[in-house]
């Protein structure tokens, strides 16, 4: 029996061997004889790859053509998969990367490191945001559980990239670049940048020793250059490498995983104009491994964006804003100022303080982000403030137009206003005597406007506020806050019930009212031009980089207010009295341009104490308005404290606007 079974097994084994041999023989016959020509052609066929060429971003200039953001050419180091060893050759890859790292360290170059790990006293630790650590552990990367430790991640990296023969520090350096190649899906169609803006010395070394730095190449790159890195950083914004979320949203629009995009401000808002059109590099690899490259489509630079702001006026506004805030409290005060053309909605200047230098954004982002004064916070567009008495001109317009008062109606101010069982007061309970609407604006009498609020009711107050654009976005291209309009809806959002006393408070710009300096400037402009509210804008024109054509943006009317010229004239006269008869008049007497204005003060709680913020809305000239100005100074105590900024801006605008000639032809076209 045993011999019989052994014979059967031997016979089956022989049959299997014969079948395998026959199979190999058939394949050999198919390849060498039957379909020889097909396989030879396949082996010799050239493979073609398309690599996008990043275009230079468009420039940003001011209304006179003066450069704000341009480009300079620099060099980045990339790894090109057409020449770099394949994934199977980990040892070769690691050796080349180590050669590059040694060169970078020697020449003081920074290189890409997005691996969220570090070594501290011989121990591996996480070094990055939670999302970055999660991505590192994901299935597409190290394929680890969420609870994996830093050491687990390091060990997975070492195993994945075969880094066992290196010490921990060196392994982590090599691993960081290997990680970048994996993360960004390194391929012939997708070369990866490993070092940006390197020196000519580094470029020369890599070009001269192709074997040592096999697969590394030099790529000419356009880097953002600023005429003055302190001018309008909150407005201009920043650029940066596209992130995973942005790439997911934009890849169908032709963006690559390595692209640079606008992250904030005008750089982000005008991304479609500034980006340009990518070019194309065609790489061909023949059957013998020879590589040829040809630019088959040239990149087209992005369009030039012409802003509405005047560079010199912007610089002045920033300087004066800083001086005022520092004089109030050099450690605590902050604020914003906005200058608008009342006849088309163009923003001529917009400053926020504390501010920052754009170069610090890249070099010292962490420090800026941790600064308690929030220098990166855009106060003119995103900061919302209770407007205080700057709200009273709107109240006067509403009360006059609704007929609850006329220009001769008077209310007596004894310093207090009794409303049911609540007593409201004027500032410091000062008695202003008998006032009509003009003198009530001049003296900023709360009692007069308490009466107006009581007669109008909150629905009418809000209706007119919205007409003036208060509590809604102004239309500017960059991110802005909507603000808050006081009323039952705003009260409900914070879990309380709207009371009649809230209506009284809302009439003097308190209660839940919160508006941006942009909104206050636009509201003031609408009063100045007798009721045409424009959408505000920072973009004046787009200059096409291909043909030089200019697309000039015209003012867009958001609303023509159904308010009579007589009502506006009455309110304007009251605002003129503020500039000529109130305490602020001494400031405006030193300039030659007649103005109309309204001060404001709102009380806030800071560090557990009650403090006042100061506001001022102004337009000039009084007889034929051209510009409006809104300023907000935190901790200023009163709106009068902001008058110096406004007076300096008006004096500059009308007396020595600029001695600088336009830097480009756009200035003559658009100035």
């Amino acid at each position: 029996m045993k011999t019989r079974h052994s014979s059967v097994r031997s016979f089956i084994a022989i049959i299997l061997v014969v079948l395998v041999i026959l199979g190999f023989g058939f394949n050999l016959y198919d390849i060498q004889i039957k379909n020889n020509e097909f396989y030879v052609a396949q082996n010799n066929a050239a493979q073609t790859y398309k690599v996008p060429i990043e275009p230079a971003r468009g420039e940003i200039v001011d209304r006179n053509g003066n450069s704000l953001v341009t480009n300079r050419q620099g060099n980045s180091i990339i790894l090109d998969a057409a020449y770099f060893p394949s994934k199977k050759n980990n040892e070769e890859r690691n050796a080349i990367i180590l050669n590059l790292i040694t060169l970078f360290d020697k020449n003081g170059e920074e290189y890409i490191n997005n691996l969220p790990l570090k070594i501290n006293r011989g121990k591996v630790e996480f070094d990055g945001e939670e999302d970055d650590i999660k991505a590192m552990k994901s299935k597409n990367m190290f394929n680890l559980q969420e609870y994996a430790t830093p050491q687990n991640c390091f060990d997975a990296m070492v195993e994945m990239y075969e880094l066992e023969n290196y010490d921990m520090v060196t392994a982590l350096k090599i691993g960081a670049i290997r990680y970048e190649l994996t993360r960004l899906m390194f391929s012939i169609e997708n070369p990866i940048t490993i070092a940006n803006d390197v020196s000519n010395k580094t470029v020369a070394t890599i070009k001269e020793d192709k074997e040592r730095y096999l697969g590394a190449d030099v790529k000419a790159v356009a880097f953002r250059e600023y005429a003055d890195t302190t001018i309008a950083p909150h407005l201009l914004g920043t650029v940066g490498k596209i992130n995973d979320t942005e790439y997911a949203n934009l890849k169908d629009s032709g963006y690559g995983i390595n692209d640079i995009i606008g992250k904030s401000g005008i750089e982000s808002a005008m991304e479609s104009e500034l980006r340009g059109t990518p070019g194309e590099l065609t790489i061909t690899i023949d059957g013998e491994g020879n590589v040829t490259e040809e630019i088959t489509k040239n990149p087209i630079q992005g369009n030039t964006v012409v802003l509405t702001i005047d560079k010199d006026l912007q610089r002045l506004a920033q300087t004066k804003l800083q001086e005022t805030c520092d004089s109030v409290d050099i450690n605590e005060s902050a604020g914003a100022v906005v200058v608008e053309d009342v006849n088309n909605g163009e923003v001529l200047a917009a400053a926020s303080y504390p501010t920052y230098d754009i170069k610090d954004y890249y070099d010292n982002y962490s420090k800026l982000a941790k600064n308690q004064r929030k220098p990166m916070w855009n106060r003119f567009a995103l900061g919302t403030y209770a407007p205080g008495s700057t709200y009273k001109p709107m109240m006067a317009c509403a009360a006059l137009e609704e007929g609850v008062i006329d220009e001769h109606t008077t209310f007596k101010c004894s310093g207090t206003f009794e409303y049911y069982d609540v007593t409201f007061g004027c500032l410091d309970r000062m008695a202003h005597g008998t006032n009509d609407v003009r003198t009530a604006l001049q003296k900023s009498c709360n009692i007069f406007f308490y009466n107006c609020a009581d007669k109008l009711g909150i629905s009418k107050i809000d209706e007119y506020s919205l007409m003036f654009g208060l509590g809604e976005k102004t239309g500017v291209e960059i991110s802005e806050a909507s603000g808050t309009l006081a009323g039952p809806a705003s009260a409900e959002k914070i879990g309380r019930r709207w009371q009649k006393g809230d209506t009284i408070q809302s009439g003097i710009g308190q209660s839940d009212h919160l508006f941006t300096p942009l909104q206050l400037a636009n509201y003031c402009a609408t009063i100045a031009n007798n009721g045409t509210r424009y959408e505000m804008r920072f973009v004046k024109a787009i200059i096409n980089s291909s043909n030089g054509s200019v697309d000039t943006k015209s003012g867009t009317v958001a609303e023509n207010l159904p308010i009579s010229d007589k009502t506006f004239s009455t309110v304007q006269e009251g605002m003129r009295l503020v500039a000529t008869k109130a305490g602020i008049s001494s400031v405006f007497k030193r300039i030659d341009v007649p103005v109309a204005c309204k001060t404001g003060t709102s009380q806030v709680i800071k560090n557990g104490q009650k403090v006042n913020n100061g506001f001022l809305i102004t337009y000039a000239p009084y007889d034929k308005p051209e510009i409006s100005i809104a300023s907000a100074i935190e901790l200023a105590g009163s709106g009068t404290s902001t008058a110096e900024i406004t007076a300096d801006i008006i004096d500059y605008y009308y007396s020595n606007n600029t001695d600088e000639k336009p830097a480009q032809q756009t200035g003559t076209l658009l100035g």
Side-chain angles (χ1 to χ4, degrees), residues 368-438:
L368 285 171
K370 293 176 182 177
N371 189 319
Q372 293 184 348
R373 296 185 71 189
K374 298 182 178 179
M376 293 191 294
W377 179 247
N378 183 348
R379 287 172 168 81
F380 63 75
L382 298 172
T384 55
Y385 301 90
S389 294
T390 59
Y391 191 67
K392 289 173 180 174
M394 192 290 304
M395 286 293 297
C397 287
L400 287 165
E401 201 63 22
E402 287 299 307
V404 300
I405 64 169
D406 60 32
E407 62 177 313
H408 303 297
T409 301
T410 61
F411 295 109
K412 184 177 180 180
C413 171
S414 59
T416 59
F417 179 75
E418 303 296 332
Y419 190 76
Y420 293 94
D421 58 346
V422 180
T423 300
F424 296 96
C426 258
L427 183 63
D428 299 327
R429 297 186 179 260
M430 181 183 293
H432 292 116
T434 300
N435 295 285
D436 61 17
V437 66
R438 295 178 181 84

Side-chain angles (χ1 to χ4, degrees), residues 47 96 153 202 236 273 281 297 315 326 407 423 490 547 551 599 622 653 657:
Q47 293 178 294
I96 293 168
C153 295
T202 297
L236 297 177
E273 297 288 351
L281 175 69
K297 180 181 177 183
R315 182 184 289 110
D326 287 351
E407 62 177 313
T423 300
S490 69
N547 56 31
D551 177 16
T599 57
Y622 170 67
Y653 185 83
N657 199 325

